[in-house]
Amino acid sequence: MNNLLAGVENLAREMHLPVSLFVAVICATSRALGAVIVPGATWTDTSGNVIQAHGGGFLKVGSTYYWFGEDKSHNSALFKAVSCYTSTDLTTWSRQNDALTPKAGTNISTSNIVERPKGAYDSKLTSLKLINLYLYPVVFNKSTNQYVMWFHSDSSNYGAAQVGVATASTPCGPYTYRSSFKPLGADSRDMGLYQDDDAAQTVYLLYASDNNQNFKISRLDSSYLNVVSQVSVLSGSTLESPGVVKRNGVYYLFASHTSGWDPNPNKFFSASSLSGPWSSQADIAPAATRTYFSQNSFDMLLSSNFAIYMGDRWRPSLLGSSRYIWYPMTWNTGSPQITAADVWSVNPSAGTFTAATGTTYEAESGTLSGAAQILSGGSFSGGRAVGWLGNGGSLTINNVQGVGRDQWVALYYANGDSAWRNTTVSVNGGAAALVDQPNTGGGQVILSVPVKLNLRSGSNSITFSANQNSYAADLDKIIVYTAT
């Protein structure tokens, strides 16, 4: 794709025509061919660079979505930039200018923390043809003609516990830093914003407070620059990384509990009013998976029965390599539940999604070498898996059917170690790729990680963990997809 775009740019210049027009056509063609979302994969923008938008928030203006997030390419929690990406399909993203950058001598210097840039919309901006904009962030204030960004503003040791505010005249800015402060004099760490669909389009701050012990919801004033009153508190809840959607008159609050960078089972609460009372917490995914090793960042409702759960899979030792875990979330059971699709596509205008189907190959049906052994367990597909891979143990799955191009392959595995493992993957004796395998939370807990492999048309052999000195995770099965 990158080579194609470069060639198109050269052709456009030779013809003295706008490069952007040609690039738009190519990108639209790429989307028409079926772009997909692959949770946990390395996600790149239209320039081929890894997307750096962690802890993100979203805005929609007209038909364009804006994704704001933390640039962690320097592998540090300290502030580098709030990035801004644009898309028309929620799948193909282009990086724009940075929305917010460090300012020396302030609370947003390179020695400080800036996290979870958020906002909300005014849904009455009919001149911009905005629809249901209260669903997404960075607030536009029609009385001041300013976009308003809120973020977690902190010191390097997370002792300041403040919110920060910045404003701009355009969606990507750049934003001008206004101030950092404790809302109503209390702590605020992980936070979010929600704009209601009432006549006043009221905006609320959602935040972990009082040393992360209590979770609070407070109302902003009409300028969207100040906090004026607390409307709800979930005492002793230890919640963070919040998001809210409103569906059929019911508010749903999504949040994780506090466990540092480590994942935990994210929860939802419901209420008929933002002032509560709120229901007891309930799971949005099987608790043992710890929300498929992710933490909630944002929740985007696209129809009455479909939202996108947008989470981060944090890797604290390499923050820039943290991955995005986006899954469909539906109310098919009456409560919001994640659909753990390895490969899926979204149609934002229709408010629908499609989970790709693939072909399953059981690990225990392959050829074991060296120390590799078949394991038994009720959590494994078919009750069996292959363990003792790496350090002399390897596995080859034969007769894997391919279609003659790059294909997504999901590796279903269990890793009960506290640390990440990895496995080598080689196709038909070719060069090996290295696939990271995060801790799954237990030796009988199964997660999947994706890898893109070039499979020839017809039969292929895929070998795991050969010539690997370290131990790999136990392999349950693989699923091979043709969607791209």
Side-chain angles (χ1 to χ4, degrees):
M1 182 67 177
N2 297 333
N3 292 335
L4 177 60
L5 287 174
V8 167
E9 290 176 359
N10 291 334
L11 178 61
R13 293 187 181 97
E14 290 175 6
M15 298 178 67
H16 304 288
L17 291 173
V19 173
S20 59
L21 175 63
F22 279 73
V23 173
V25 170
I26 292 297
C27 289
T29 302
S30 173
R31 289 192 292 273
L33 292 175
V36 294
I37 296 171
V38 185
T42 301
W43 202 347
T44 56
D45 61 23
T46 53
S47 296
N49 298 314
V50 176
I51 293 175
Q52 292 289 338
H54 309 284
F58 293 78
L59 167 72
K60 188 184 181 187
V61 178
S63 60
T64 301
Y65 293 89
Y66 294 81
W67 181 2
F68 303 87
E70 307 160 29
D71 186 331
K72 298 296 190 189
S73 57
H74 58 317
N75 290 319
S76 171
L78 297 178
F79 183 38
K80 179 178 182 181
V82 172
S83 57
C84 182
Y85 293 82
T86 57
S87 175
T88 58
D89 63 1
L90 291 173
T91 305
T92 305
W93 294 92
S94 298
R95 185 157 185 171
Q96 309 300 327
N97 59 272
D98 288 336
L100 186 67
T101 54
K103 185 175 181 180
T106 73
N107 288 344
I108 62 165
S109 75
T110 55
S111 299
N112 292 101
I113 301 291
V114 171
E115 297 177 336
R116 300 188 178 277
K118 305 292 183 185
Y121 286 113
D122 180 355
S123 64
K124 293 186 176 180
L125 302 175
T126 54
S127 63
L128 293 178
K129 299 181 181 179
L130 304 186
I131 300 174
N132 294 331
L133 293 187
Y134 58 88
L135 298 177
Y136 320 110
V138 168
V139 187
F140 182 79
N141 190 301
K142 61 183 178 181
S143 64
T144 62
N145 290 319
Q146 291 286 299
Y147 292 88
V148 185
M149 177 191 296
W150 286 65
F151 51 89
H152 172 202
S153 179
D154 222 321
S155 53
S156 59
N157 65 354
Y158 288 93
Q162 298 177 324
V163 290
V165 182
T167 57
S169 58
T170 58
C172 277
Y175 284 72
T176 299
Y177 172 62
R178 302 287 293 263
S179 64
S180 297
F181 59 93
K182 287 179 179 279
L184 303 177
D187 289 352
S188 177
R189 289 190 172 91
D190 274 15
M191 46 67 65
L193 285 188
Y194 174 73
Q195 184 169 19
D196 210 351
D197 60 352
D198 59 343
Q201 298 293 286
T202 310
V203 178
Y204 296 87
L205 176 67
L206 324 166
Y207 54 111
S209 191
D210 305 328
N211 200 28
N212 290 346
Q213 294 306 297
N214 303 317
F215 183 81
K216 298 176 180 178
I217 301 176
S218 294
R219 182 173 61 85
L220 304 190
D221 67 5
S222 59
S223 74
Y224 303 159
L225 299 177
N226 304 292
V227 180
V228 292
S229 63
Q230 182 177 299
V231 301
S232 184
V233 58
L234 283 73
S235 299
S237 56
T238 63
L239 299 175
E240 62 179 10
S241 61
V244 165
V245 301
K246 186 179 183 181
R247 173 185 178 269
N248 297 339
V250 177
Y251 297 89
Y252 291 88
L253 166 66
F254 302 94
S256 77
H257 282 291
T258 52
S259 53
W261 296 103
D262 294 329
N264 58 66
N266 289 203
K267 307 294 183 180
F268 81 89
F269 305 76
S270 61
S272 59
S273 168
L274 286 173
S275 61
W278 291 91
S279 69
S280 300
Q281 66 180 21
D283 289 304
I284 58 174
T289 69
R290 300 172 301 166
T291 327
Y292 304 103
F293 199 113
S294 72
Q295 182 184 36
N296 186 68
S297 178
F298 191 79
D299 308 280
M300 183 183 291
L301 189 68
L302 292 178
S303 70
S304 63
N305 196 47
F306 164 48
I308 302 179
Y309 165 85
M310 297 166 163
D312 291 285
R313 176 171 288 171
W314 296 110
R315 190 166 189 180
S317 61
L318 290 169
L319 280 172
S321 295
S322 300
R323 299 294 177 237
Y324 309 103
I325 305 298
W326 288 19
Y327 281 134
M329 185 165 58
T330 71
W331 279 256
N332 290 340
T333 65
S335 62
Q337 294 293 301
I338 286 174
T339 298
D342 294 320
V343 179
W344 63 286
S345 57
V346 59
N347 184 330
S349 59
T352 59
F353 74 92
T354 302
T357 57
T359 302
T360 299
Y361 299 86
E362 296 289 347
E364 66 270 17
S365 298
T367 301
L368 282 63
S369 298
Q373 299 178 23
I374 291 180
L375 308 176
S376 297
S379 298
F380 299 134
S381 174
R384 295 190 297 172
V386 175
W388 298 99
L389 293 170
N391 263 355
S394 65
L395 167 72
T396 298
I397 300 178
N398 297 302
N399 199 30
V400 176
Q401 296 302 300
V403 295
R405 55 173 167 78
D406 287 347
Q407 294 178 240
W408 286 110
V409 179
L411 313 185
Y412 281 73
Y413 72 98
N415 172 17
D417 282 358
S418 59
W420 292 41
R421 291 187 176 186
N422 55 60
T423 184
T424 57
V425 184
S426 175
V427 178
N428 301 321
L434 190 66
V435 180
D436 290 325
Q437 299 171 309
N439 163 257
T440 58
Q444 291 288 305
V445 179
I446 310 299
L447 293 181
S448 68
V449 289
V451 59
K452 182 173 280 189
L453 302 176
N454 189 275
L455 302 180
R456 65 192 178 200
S457 181
S459 180
N460 295 263
S461 295
I462 304 179
T463 300
F464 301 89
S465 308
N467 303 314
Q468 179 176 337
N469 294 327
S470 60
Y471 279 113
D474 303 331
L475 188 64
D476 182 12
K477 65 183 179 182
I478 65 171
I479 301 180
V480 180
Y481 294 91
T482 57
T484 59

